[in-house]
Amino acid sequence: MGMRRTPVGSWLRSLREMREGLVDRVEGSVDVVVETLVSRGVLTRDDREEVLCERGPRGRVRKVLDILDCKGEEAAGTFLLAVGHLSDAGADEVSGQRGVPPHTAEYSRVMQKHKAVLRRRSESMLSYNTRHGEQVPFSLHYVHLLVVKGHHSLELRRHEVMTFGQRRLALQGTALEKRLVKPAQLFANNANNANNANNASNANNAGSRPPKRVLVSGVAGIGKTVLVQKILYDFGSDVEHAEFDFVLHLTFRDLNLVSKPVSFRDLALRKNSHLSKAVDAILANESKLLIVLDGFDEFKHYRSTADVDAFVTEPDEEGGVTEIISSLIQGELLPEASVLLTSRPMAVSHMPVASINCFAVITGFSTAEIRDFFQRYFQQEALAQQMFEKVAANELMLTLCYIPAFCHIVCSILKDSDGLARESPKTMTDIYTQYLVALLRSHSHGRVDDVSERQRLREIVLKLASLAYEKLMAHETLFYSGDLEALLLLDSAMVSAFLDKTSVQEPGFTEDVFSFTHLTVQEFFAALHCVATAGEMAAAAAAAPDVLFEHNASSCRQEDEITAGHLDLFERFLSGLLSERNQRLLSRSVGLDPSATRAEVYREGLLKKLQALCESGGPILTQLHCLFEQQDDGLLLDFRPGALRVKVSDVSLSPMDYAVIKHFLQQTTGTMAELDLTGSSVTAAALTDLLPHLNRCRSLWLGENTLDMEAIQVIAQVLQSSDTLAYLGLGWTDIGDEEVLVLADAIRSRQSLREIWMEGNRVSYRGLQSLSALTPSPLQAVVAIWNEVSEEEASLLSGGGGAAALGGPCVTVSFTDDLMWREWCQWVLQRCQGNSTEKLVAVLHKVCRRSSSAQRQDVPWTRGFYGELLELIRSRIAQCHEEEEDVRGRLETFAAIVAS
């Protein structure tokens, strides 16, 4: 097949759109193409050396494409013409070697045998059943997949379960309905086209072939392994995936046990000895092969997968497991085979995502499906409805039930605690403490008052807690039978209540692999360990968890993972377990006696931390959640910070987040110096709920939230009723003249607001006129840079129009040399430095919007500000990984703007 002619002027675009296809086409002739380009002066000898340093032929092709991307249209055109003249016969020969099916009776017989094996292995769901041990068909389970364009990682500044809990509703929204796909469509053409919906040319060139490498991400317990089982079952039952002859299933739990060099051929046969007679034909016919790699986040070497030193390029070539996995993902090994990976979001950044063709996210249960899950679990319609109503009335429980595993936990609590006839759980710790007690009751057979029985349960719980803590600090979710043997737990029947077991068959032996039933269960037990462990070390942990981490040799926490919220829930559980009510419950049910001293030390430490953050204006959300877990209204009676500043910016706040903020504010009195809700996805409903406390604010920052008229009406109520509010920030909130007119009327009625900041909105001269009438009193400053105001109108508003100037120096529509800008610069730089690179790009998009040298050439302070900003951007560019090419490109664009 020859290369199609590409119109002159679109060579570079074609190069980018056809990138992966070109890698496939050129890998067998990359050396010839490189020499051709050198001889024609397109590549220099230094370029050639740089290419030859790359590992593997596909890596060398990608390096060539990277270099050409910087050399312009003519170089791209020369390359494409050179590729077009590659031997069609040679290309056909390679294609024939990879894609021609064997068509032998043995091949067909083995194919049917393999399907029968997969069908038997995967015909039932064994996790999170309606009843323990009951087999549940896949038709009763839901796996919602959302195909997304590009790397769609979570910005993990918080615990992944909580982060995704907030975002899932948007992902499941009507605006994205067309991108929802069924599992069977992951490798179909329409999935790829959805992935490239905004690039018609790419769809035409590459969309004719299914995506080869698909990444499915989802938080713990949301259904990644269920998805894999469904794919295996549907394939084995001849229901779906007919485009493949064979599906090979590998789990990273199994791969963790491989310590010696091995070939992919051997890995394929480890659990599939029935394929031995046809394995060579299967691997040779790679275009008809799907390889499923489940649980990348459980791979003990996942951090080094993107940084292998050498590739494995042949199925029978031996190498380390990490090299084999990396080679599969990057297409160096079996490049024509399709590969499906599953992973929790926390590990995705360590994957070579530049090689992924299609990204999908599992979005979990909708509210209707939560109701349906309850119906299947309780089996009686009236009882199921009653239990669901209890959960629906508890916002925290309902929010987290989008995770199937958590939904199962909640149902277990409801079933084994008589439907929560006592007090309904209000916090995360309440839920998990009741879950623990309910399961212990079940395994004690009603003998909870027996002293020896309680002692036995206590020992088992503490040993599990110790194991949970050790593994959590080491970022591990898997452990092996040796770990349980060391704790003398292997033969305990009760362990199965909290641990899932997988038996891994290895040559010559069987290894049992364990994990807690859900990540959050492990985090709860880890906190329980810190609370229950006797001695000064536990007291230190309770007072300040970081002290414990500093002294713990097994802790391998890295700074990026600390900010990713790895221990958010652990800290909340720690606080909740040190509350009086949960300690009483644990004392009665487990024999864990409360320590009043230890709890008091913790509470004192929490209050000191809260006071320091309130006075400094530091991020305070984690501490507010810990305070909420205490559920002690008397805890803040003596809380008297010098200044009350509540900063909860730059994270998308969930309804539960607003609940804990409101809980805190209800227990404090007096003026609030500052409430910062910048970039928090605040809504009119949330503002309405916080309305009594907004009236107490001196400074209220609501920027970088999309505020509709309903939200503006709430803000207007504050302006009309508050004698305190003096500073209001509404930058980048998408407000226009109509919203400003509403605000102007409200400001006029109370005359208390002094400054209003409205950068980067849609406000025109008309809207600013309404505010200019309120200057210089009460408004002393109206900041409206980057709005829809012409230079002539700007001159009138800012005082350049002589006596007829409307706003005078109070209305600012362009940079000036006023002192107020120094604080603005400091605020912007702090946000840029303290946020992730993805968030930095979002902030830069706003700060650099409509920015030009003409705007700042006569303003001295801008030189230092833009210089610091440029230095920060360049440092982030240097930190970008190879798979972050898109982010790097955007940062380089902003660097050019800032440097101009």
Side-chain angles (χ1 to χ4, degrees), residues 213 250-252 255 264 267 291 293 296 299 305 308 311-312 320-331 333 339 341 351-352:
R213 279 153 191 84
L250 301 176
T251 71
F252 285 95
L255 296 174
F264 179 77
L267 287 178
I291 301 167
L293 303 172
F296 178 77
F299 188 31
T305 303
V308 297
F311 288 121
V312 173
V321 172
T322 306
E323 285 73 26
I324 290 176
I325 296 303
S326 183
S327 300
L328 280 172
I329 297 174
Q330 300 189 57
L333 174 63
V339 178
L341 292 116
M351 187 183 296

PDB file of all heavy atoms in Angstrom, residues 213 250-252 255 264 267 291 293 296 299 305 308 311-312 320-331 333 339 341 351-352:
ATOM      1  N   ARG A 213      -4.048   0.190  22.178  1.00  0.00           N
ATOM      2  CA  ARG A 213      -3.729   0.218  23.600  1.00  0.00           C
ATOM      3  C   ARG A 213      -4.746   1.081  24.328  1.00  0.00           C
ATOM      4  O   ARG A 213      -4.834   2.275  24.072  1.00  0.00           O
ATOM      5  CB  ARG A 213      -2.302   0.718  23.804  1.00  0.00           C
ATOM      6  CG  ARG A 213      -1.308  -0.396  23.568  1.00  0.00           C
ATOM      7  CD  ARG A 213       0.054   0.042  23.106  1.00  0.00           C
ATOM      8  NE  ARG A 213       0.803  -1.138  22.666  1.00  0.00           N
ATOM      9  CZ  ARG A 213       0.715  -1.668  21.457  1.00  0.00           C
ATOM     10  NH1 ARG A 213      -0.083  -1.114  20.561  1.00  0.00           N
ATOM     11  NH2 ARG A 213       1.396  -2.738  21.138  1.00  0.00           N
ATOM     12  N   LEU A 250      -3.567 -11.427  32.096  1.00  0.00           N
ATOM     13  CA  LEU A 250      -2.493 -11.419  33.077  1.00  0.00           C
ATOM     14  C   LEU A 250      -2.851 -10.421  34.173  1.00  0.00           C
ATOM     15  O   LEU A 250      -3.318  -9.312  33.888  1.00  0.00           O
ATOM     16  CB  LEU A 250      -1.160 -11.004  32.444  1.00  0.00           C
ATOM     17  CG  LEU A 250      -0.639 -11.852  31.281  1.00  0.00           C
ATOM     18  CD1 LEU A 250       0.639 -11.244  30.720  1.00  0.00           C
ATOM     19  CD2 LEU A 250      -0.383 -13.279  31.727  1.00  0.00           C
ATOM     20  N   THR A 251      -2.654 -10.795  35.423  1.00  0.00           N
ATOM     21  CA  THR A 251      -2.881  -9.870  36.529  1.00  0.00           C
ATOM     22  C   THR A 251      -1.531  -9.496  37.138  1.00  0.00           C
ATOM     23  O   THR A 251      -0.602 -10.315  37.185  1.00  0.00           O
ATOM     24  CB  THR A 251      -3.764 -10.492  37.625  1.00  0.00           C
ATOM     25  OG1 THR A 251      -3.026 -11.505  38.319  1.00  0.00           O
ATOM     26  CG2 THR A 251      -5.031 -11.084  37.039  1.00  0.00           C
ATOM     27  N   PHE A 252      -1.441  -8.272  37.608  1.00  0.00           N
ATOM     28  CA  PHE A 252      -0.188  -7.836  38.227  1.00  0.00           C
ATOM     29  C   PHE A 252       0.012  -8.496  39.583  1.00  0.00           C
ATOM     30  O   PHE A 252       1.143  -8.533  40.080  1.00  0.00           O
ATOM     31  CB  PHE A 252      -0.166  -6.312  38.324  1.00  0.00           C
ATOM     32  CG  PHE A 252       0.092  -5.661  36.996  1.00  0.00           C
ATOM     33  CD1 PHE A 252      -0.962  -5.224  36.207  1.00  0.00           C
ATOM     34  CD2 PHE A 252       1.379  -5.519  36.519  1.00  0.00           C
ATOM     35  CE1 PHE A 252      -0.726  -4.643  34.971  1.00  0.00           C
ATOM     36  CE2 PHE A 252       1.623  -4.938  35.287  1.00  0.00           C
ATOM     37  CZ  PHE A 252       0.566  -4.496  34.502  1.00  0.00           C
ATOM     38  N   LEU A 255       2.018 -11.316  38.389  1.00  0.00           N
ATOM     39  CA  LEU A 255       3.317 -10.889  37.885  1.00  0.00           C
ATOM     40  C   LEU A 255       4.263 -10.463  38.999  1.00  0.00           C
ATOM     41  O   LEU A 255       5.488 -10.510  38.840  1.00  0.00           O
ATOM     42  CB  LEU A 255       3.131  -9.741  36.890  1.00  0.00           C
ATOM     43  CG  LEU A 255       2.357 -10.105  35.609  1.00  0.00           C
ATOM     44  CD1 LEU A 255       2.107  -8.856  34.770  1.00  0.00           C
ATOM     45  CD2 LEU A 255       3.114 -11.142  34.792  1.00  0.00           C
ATOM     46  N   PHE A 264       7.698 -13.475  27.340  1.00  0.00           N
ATOM     47  CA  PHE A 264       6.245 -13.297  27.310  1.00  0.00           C
ATOM     48  C   PHE A 264       5.572 -14.615  26.945  1.00  0.00           C
ATOM     49  O   PHE A 264       4.472 -14.911  27.437  1.00  0.00           O
ATOM     50  CB  PHE A 264       5.848 -12.209  26.309  1.00  0.00           C
ATOM     51  CG  PHE A 264       4.360 -12.011  26.237  1.00  0.00           C
ATOM     52  CD1 PHE A 264       3.695 -11.308  27.222  1.00  0.00           C
ATOM     53  CD2 PHE A 264       3.609 -12.573  25.201  1.00  0.00           C
ATOM     54  CE1 PHE A 264       2.318 -11.152  27.184  1.00  0.00           C
ATOM     55  CE2 PHE A 264       2.233 -12.424  25.158  1.00  0.00           C
ATOM     56  CZ  PHE A 264       1.582 -11.698  26.156  1.00  0.00           C
ATOM     57  N   LEU A 267       5.086 -16.415  30.094  1.00  0.00           N
ATOM     58  CA  LEU A 267       4.049 -15.782  30.906  1.00  0.00           C
ATOM     59  C   LEU A 267       2.659 -16.174  30.410  1.00  0.00           C
ATOM     60  O   LEU A 267       1.742 -16.404  31.205  1.00  0.00           O
ATOM     61  CB  LEU A 267       4.193 -14.259  30.872  1.00  0.00           C
ATOM     62  CG  LEU A 267       5.360 -13.653  31.646  1.00  0.00           C
ATOM     63  CD1 LEU A 267       5.376 -12.138  31.458  1.00  0.00           C
ATOM     64  CD2 LEU A 267       5.264 -13.995  33.136  1.00  0.00           C
ATOM     65  N   ILE A 291      -4.422  -8.646  24.758  1.00  0.00           N
ATOM     66  CA  ILE A 291      -3.721  -8.925  26.013  1.00  0.00           C
ATOM     67  C   ILE A 291      -4.316  -8.015  27.088  1.00  0.00           C
ATOM     68  O   ILE A 291      -4.318  -6.789  26.939  1.00  0.00           O
ATOM     69  CB  ILE A 291      -2.211  -8.665  25.875  1.00  0.00           C
ATOM     70  CG1 ILE A 291      -1.633  -9.557  24.773  1.00  0.00           C
ATOM     71  CG2 ILE A 291      -1.492  -8.916  27.194  1.00  0.00           C
ATOM     72  CD1 ILE A 291      -0.236  -9.167  24.341  1.00  0.00           C
ATOM     73  N   LEU A 293      -4.116  -6.662  30.897  1.00  0.00           N
ATOM     74  CA  LEU A 293      -3.223  -6.500  32.040  1.00  0.00           C
ATOM     75  C   LEU A 293      -4.016  -5.795  33.144  1.00  0.00           C
ATOM     76  O   LEU A 293      -4.247  -4.591  33.076  1.00  0.00           O
ATOM     77  CB  LEU A 293      -1.989  -5.677  31.648  1.00  0.00           C
ATOM     78  CG  LEU A 293      -1.161  -6.237  30.475  1.00  0.00           C
ATOM     79  CD1 LEU A 293      -0.093  -5.237  30.060  1.00  0.00           C
ATOM     80  CD2 LEU A 293      -0.516  -7.564  30.873  1.00  0.00           C
ATOM     81  N   PHE A 296      -2.664  -2.452  37.229  1.00  0.00           N
ATOM     82  CA  PHE A 296      -1.326  -1.857  37.123  1.00  0.00           C
ATOM     83  C   PHE A 296      -0.894  -1.222  38.433  1.00  0.00           C
ATOM     84  O   PHE A 296       0.284  -1.262  38.806  1.00  0.00           O
ATOM     85  CB  PHE A 296      -1.320  -0.817  35.991  1.00  0.00           C
ATOM     86  CG  PHE A 296      -0.011  -0.111  35.813  1.00  0.00           C
ATOM     87  CD1 PHE A 296       1.052  -0.736  35.179  1.00  0.00           C
ATOM     88  CD2 PHE A 296       0.170   1.186  36.282  1.00  0.00           C
ATOM     89  CE1 PHE A 296       2.265  -0.087  35.016  1.00  0.00           C
ATOM     90  CE2 PHE A 296       1.367   1.847  36.118  1.00  0.00           C
ATOM     91  CZ  PHE A 296       2.428   1.212  35.481  1.00  0.00           C
ATOM     92  N   PHE A 299       1.065  -3.475  40.774  1.00  0.00           N
ATOM     93  CA  PHE A 299       2.381  -3.948  40.337  1.00  0.00           C
ATOM     94  C   PHE A 299       3.443  -3.330  41.245  1.00  0.00           C
ATOM     95  O   PHE A 299       3.526  -2.107  41.376  1.00  0.00           O
ATOM     96  CB  PHE A 299       2.601  -3.522  38.884  1.00  0.00           C
ATOM     97  CG  PHE A 299       3.832  -4.105  38.238  1.00  0.00           C
ATOM     98  CD1 PHE A 299       4.313  -5.353  38.590  1.00  0.00           C
ATOM     99  CD2 PHE A 299       4.502  -3.391  37.250  1.00  0.00           C
ATOM    100  CE1 PHE A 299       5.424  -5.896  37.976  1.00  0.00           C
ATOM    101  CE2 PHE A 299       5.613  -3.920  36.625  1.00  0.00           C
ATOM    102  CZ  PHE A 299       6.081  -5.172  36.989  1.00  0.00           C
ATOM    103  N   THR A 305       8.111   1.528  35.408  1.00  0.00           N
ATOM    104  CA  THR A 305       7.682   0.983  34.120  1.00  0.00           C
ATOM    105  C   THR A 305       8.010   1.917  32.956  1.00  0.00           C
ATOM    106  O   THR A 305       8.330   1.456  31.856  1.00  0.00           O
ATOM    107  CB  THR A 305       6.170   0.697  34.148  1.00  0.00           C
ATOM    108  OG1 THR A 305       5.886  -0.197  35.232  1.00  0.00           O
ATOM    109  CG2 THR A 305       5.707   0.056  32.854  1.00  0.00           C
ATOM    110  N   VAL A 308      12.365   1.992  31.651  1.00  0.00           N
ATOM    111  CA  VAL A 308      13.152   0.774  31.428  1.00  0.00           C
ATOM    112  C   VAL A 308      14.402   1.085  30.621  1.00  0.00           C
ATOM    113  O   VAL A 308      14.435   2.029  29.832  1.00  0.00           O
ATOM    114  CB  VAL A 308      12.316  -0.307  30.720  1.00  0.00           C
ATOM    115  CG1 VAL A 308      11.152  -0.737  31.563  1.00  0.00           C
ATOM    116  CG2 VAL A 308      11.840   0.192  29.358  1.00  0.00           C
ATOM    117  N   PHE A 311      14.319  -2.720  25.800  1.00  0.00           N
ATOM    118  CA  PHE A 311      13.045  -3.309  25.431  1.00  0.00           C
ATOM    119  C   PHE A 311      13.214  -4.775  25.075  1.00  0.00           C
ATOM    120  O   PHE A 311      14.285  -5.219  24.620  1.00  0.00           O
ATOM    121  CB  PHE A 311      12.436  -2.578  24.231  1.00  0.00           C
ATOM    122  CG  PHE A 311      11.927  -1.210  24.555  1.00  0.00           C
ATOM    123  CD1 PHE A 311      12.425  -0.098  23.901  1.00  0.00           C
ATOM    124  CD2 PHE A 311      10.939  -1.026  25.511  1.00  0.00           C
ATOM    125  CE1 PHE A 311      11.961   1.163  24.192  1.00  0.00           C
ATOM    126  CE2 PHE A 311      10.463   0.223  25.811  1.00  0.00           C
ATOM    127  CZ  PHE A 311      10.974   1.331  25.152  1.00  0.00           C
ATOM    128  N   VAL A 312      12.139  -5.523  25.272  1.00  0.00           N
ATOM    129  CA  VAL A 312      12.032  -6.892  24.779  1.00  0.00           C
ATOM    130  C   VAL A 312      11.204  -6.827  23.506  1.00  0.00           C
ATOM    131  O   VAL A 312      10.093  -6.300  23.521  1.00  0.00           O
ATOM    132  CB  VAL A 312      11.362  -7.799  25.821  1.00  0.00           C
ATOM    133  CG1 VAL A 312      11.105  -9.182  25.246  1.00  0.00           C
ATOM    134  CG2 VAL A 312      12.209  -7.884  27.078  1.00  0.00           C
ATOM    135  N   GLY A 320      13.239  -9.003  32.234  1.00  0.00           N
ATOM    136  CA  GLY A 320      12.525  -8.773  33.475  1.00  0.00           C
ATOM    137  C   GLY A 320      11.056  -8.471  33.203  1.00  0.00           C
ATOM    138  O   GLY A 320      10.693  -7.993  32.120  1.00  0.00           O
ATOM    139  N   VAL A 321      10.198  -8.720  34.202  1.00  0.00           N
ATOM    140  CA  VAL A 321       8.774  -8.485  34.014  1.00  0.00           C
ATOM    141  C   VAL A 321       8.509  -7.019  33.689  1.00  0.00           C
ATOM    142  O   VAL A 321       7.668  -6.704  32.838  1.00  0.00           O
ATOM    143  CB  VAL A 321       7.990  -8.899  35.282  1.00  0.00           C
ATOM    144  CG1 VAL A 321       6.528  -8.479  35.170  1.00  0.00           C
ATOM    145  CG2 VAL A 321       8.076 -10.395  35.480  1.00  0.00           C
ATOM    146  N   THR A 322       9.227  -6.112  34.329  1.00  0.00           N
ATOM    147  CA  THR A 322       9.021  -4.688  34.072  1.00  0.00           C
ATOM    148  C   THR A 322       9.324  -4.358  32.618  1.00  0.00           C
ATOM    149  O   THR A 322       8.582  -3.598  31.967  1.00  0.00           O
ATOM    150  CB  THR A 322       9.926  -3.845  34.994  1.00  0.00           C
ATOM    151  OG1 THR A 322       9.698  -4.225  36.352  1.00  0.00           O
ATOM    152  CG2 THR A 322       9.625  -2.362  34.829  1.00  0.00           C
ATOM    153  N   GLU A 323      10.410  -4.912  32.080  1.00  0.00           N
ATOM    154  CA  GLU A 323      10.775  -4.656  30.687  1.00  0.00           C
ATOM    155  C   GLU A 323       9.723  -5.219  29.724  1.00  0.00           C
ATOM    156  O   GLU A 323       9.382  -4.589  28.714  1.00  0.00           O
ATOM    157  CB  GLU A 323      12.150  -5.276  30.359  1.00  0.00           C
ATOM    158  CG  GLU A 323      13.339  -4.524  30.930  1.00  0.00           C
ATOM    159  CD  GLU A 323      13.477  -4.693  32.426  1.00  0.00           C
ATOM    160  OE1 GLU A 323      12.997  -5.728  32.952  1.00  0.00           O
ATOM    161  OE2 GLU A 323      14.038  -3.795  33.081  1.00  0.00           O
ATOM    162  N   ILE A 324       9.193  -6.392  30.050  1.00  0.00           N
ATOM    163  CA  ILE A 324       8.177  -6.998  29.188  1.00  0.00           C
ATOM    164  C   ILE A 324       6.904  -6.145  29.187  1.00  0.00           C
ATOM    165  O   ILE A 324       6.328  -5.864  28.127  1.00  0.00           O
ATOM    166  CB  ILE A 324       7.871  -8.437  29.645  1.00  0.00           C
ATOM    167  CG1 ILE A 324       9.071  -9.352  29.344  1.00  0.00           C
ATOM    168  CG2 ILE A 324       6.616  -8.971  28.964  1.00  0.00           C
ATOM    169  CD1 ILE A 324       8.909 -10.761  29.845  1.00  0.00           C
ATOM    170  N   ILE A 325       6.470  -5.718  30.361  1.00  0.00           N
ATOM    171  CA  ILE A 325       5.251  -4.906  30.451  1.00  0.00           C
ATOM    172  C   ILE A 325       5.436  -3.588  29.719  1.00  0.00           C
ATOM    173  O   ILE A 325       4.568  -3.152  28.947  1.00  0.00           O
ATOM    174  CB  ILE A 325       4.879  -4.664  31.925  1.00  0.00           C
ATOM    175  CG1 ILE A 325       4.525  -5.989  32.612  1.00  0.00           C
ATOM    176  CG2 ILE A 325       3.718  -3.676  32.026  1.00  0.00           C
ATOM    177  CD1 ILE A 325       3.410  -6.762  31.956  1.00  0.00           C
ATOM    178  N   SER A 326       6.555  -2.925  29.951  1.00  0.00           N
ATOM    179  CA  SER A 326       6.814  -1.646  29.277  1.00  0.00           C
ATOM    180  C   SER A 326       6.879  -1.835  27.767  1.00  0.00           C
ATOM    181  O   SER A 326       6.377  -1.004  27.003  1.00  0.00           O
ATOM    182  CB  SER A 326       8.114  -1.036  29.797  1.00  0.00           C
ATOM    183  OG  SER A 326       8.355   0.216  29.211  1.00  0.00           O
ATOM    184  N   SER A 327       7.478  -2.931  27.325  1.00  0.00           N
ATOM    185  CA  SER A 327       7.578  -3.204  25.892  1.00  0.00           C
ATOM    186  C   SER A 327       6.208  -3.436  25.270  1.00  0.00           C
ATOM    187  O   SER A 327       5.933  -2.999  24.146  1.00  0.00           O
ATOM    188  CB  SER A 327       8.483  -4.417  25.643  1.00  0.00           C
ATOM    189  OG  SER A 327       9.790  -4.187  26.146  1.00  0.00           O
ATOM    190  N   LEU A 328       5.320  -4.121  26.004  1.00  0.00           N
ATOM    191  CA  LEU A 328       3.954  -4.335  25.512  1.00  0.00           C
ATOM    192  C   LEU A 328       3.200  -3.016  25.395  1.00  0.00           C
ATOM    193  O   LEU A 328       2.553  -2.733  24.380  1.00  0.00           O
ATOM    194  CB  LEU A 328       3.203  -5.275  26.452  1.00  0.00           C
ATOM    195  CG  LEU A 328       3.454  -6.770  26.325  1.00  0.00           C
ATOM    196  CD1 LEU A 328       2.768  -7.506  27.462  1.00  0.00           C
ATOM    197  CD2 LEU A 328       2.959  -7.295  24.981  1.00  0.00           C
ATOM    198  N   ILE A 329       3.298  -2.181  26.447  1.00  0.00           N
ATOM    199  CA  ILE A 329       2.554  -0.924  26.453  1.00  0.00           C
ATOM    200  C   ILE A 329       3.032  -0.008  25.338  1.00  0.00           C
ATOM    201  O   ILE A 329       2.234   0.659  24.671  1.00  0.00           O
ATOM    202  CB  ILE A 329       2.693  -0.228  27.820  1.00  0.00           C
ATOM    203  CG1 ILE A 329       2.064  -1.094  28.928  1.00  0.00           C
ATOM    204  CG2 ILE A 329       2.021   1.144  27.796  1.00  0.00           C
ATOM    205  CD1 ILE A 329       2.282  -0.554  30.330  1.00  0.00           C
ATOM    206  N   GLN A 330       4.338   0.040  25.119  1.00  0.00           N
ATOM    207  CA  GLN A 330       4.897   0.968  24.143  1.00  0.00           C
ATOM    208  C   GLN A 330       4.968   0.392  22.729  1.00  0.00           C
ATOM    209  O   GLN A 330       5.462   1.054  21.817  1.00  0.00           O
ATOM    210  CB  GLN A 330       6.279   1.435  24.605  1.00  0.00           C
ATOM    211  CG  GLN A 330       6.217   2.153  25.942  1.00  0.00           C
ATOM    212  CD  GLN A 330       7.515   2.821  26.317  1.00  0.00           C
ATOM    213  OE1 GLN A 330       8.034   3.650  25.576  1.00  0.00           O
ATOM    214  NE2 GLN A 330       8.053   2.462  27.469  1.00  0.00           N
ATOM    215  N   GLY A 331       4.493  -0.844  22.556  1.00  0.00           N
ATOM    216  CA  GLY A 331       4.419  -1.398  21.213  1.00  0.00           C
ATOM    217  C   GLY A 331       5.726  -1.920  20.676  1.00  0.00           C
ATOM    218  O   GLY A 331       5.846  -2.190  19.471  1.00  0.00           O
ATOM    219  N   LEU A 333       7.000  -4.763  21.803  1.00  0.00           N
ATOM    220  CA  LEU A 333       6.731  -6.197  21.800  1.00  0.00           C
ATOM    221  C   LEU A 333       5.301  -6.411  21.318  1.00  0.00           C
ATOM    222  O   LEU A 333       4.373  -5.773  21.826  1.00  0.00           O
ATOM    223  CB  LEU A 333       6.919  -6.757  23.222  1.00  0.00           C
ATOM    224  CG  LEU A 333       6.536  -8.231  23.444  1.00  0.00           C
ATOM    225  CD1 LEU A 333       7.420  -9.147  22.596  1.00  0.00           C
ATOM    226  CD2 LEU A 333       6.665  -8.590  24.929  1.00  0.00           C
ATOM    227  N   VAL A 339      -3.883  -4.169  23.542  1.00  0.00           N
ATOM    228  CA  VAL A 339      -3.572  -4.289  24.964  1.00  0.00           C
ATOM    229  C   VAL A 339      -4.578  -3.464  25.760  1.00  0.00           C
ATOM    230  O   VAL A 339      -4.825  -2.302  25.439  1.00  0.00           O
ATOM    231  CB  VAL A 339      -2.137  -3.796  25.274  1.00  0.00           C
ATOM    232  CG1 VAL A 339      -1.868  -3.880  26.776  1.00  0.00           C
ATOM    233  CG2 VAL A 339      -1.107  -4.616  24.496  1.00  0.00           C
ATOM    234  N   LEU A 341      -5.257  -2.160  29.657  1.00  0.00           N
ATOM    235  CA  LEU A 341      -4.719  -2.018  31.001  1.00  0.00           C
ATOM    236  C   LEU A 341      -5.779  -1.436  31.913  1.00  0.00           C
ATOM    237  O   LEU A 341      -6.569  -0.592  31.489  1.00  0.00           O
ATOM    238  CB  LEU A 341      -3.511  -1.069  31.001  1.00  0.00           C
ATOM    239  CG  LEU A 341      -2.256  -1.548  30.301  1.00  0.00           C
ATOM    240  CD1 LEU A 341      -1.983  -0.641  29.120  1.00  0.00           C
ATOM    241  CD2 LEU A 341      -1.071  -1.518  31.243  1.00  0.00           C
ATOM    242  N   MET A 351       2.892   5.498  34.143  1.00  0.00           N
ATOM    243  CA  MET A 351       2.725   4.679  32.945  1.00  0.00           C
ATOM    244  C   MET A 351       3.147   5.494  31.718  1.00  0.00           C
ATOM    245  O   MET A 351       2.937   6.703  31.680  1.00  0.00           O
ATOM    246  CB  MET A 351       1.251   4.276  32.821  1.00  0.00           C
ATOM    247  CG  MET A 351       0.930   3.299  31.719  1.00  0.00           C
ATOM    248  SD  MET A 351      -0.871   2.997  31.652  1.00  0.00           S
ATOM    249  CE  MET A 351      -1.147   2.219  33.248  1.00  0.00           C
ATOM    250  N   PRO A 352       3.744   4.860  30.705  1.00  0.00           N
ATOM    251  CA  PRO A 352       4.076   5.599  29.471  1.00  0.00           C
ATOM    252  C   PRO A 352       2.819   5.912  28.666  1.00  0.00           C
ATOM    253  O   PRO A 352       2.524   5.283  27.649  1.00  0.00           O
ATOM    254  CB  PRO A 352       5.018   4.634  28.737  1.00  0.00           C
ATOM    255  CG  PRO A 352       4.662   3.278  29.233  1.00  0.00           C
ATOM    256  CD  PRO A 352       4.235   3.471  30.669  1.00  0.00           C
TER     257      PRO A 352
END
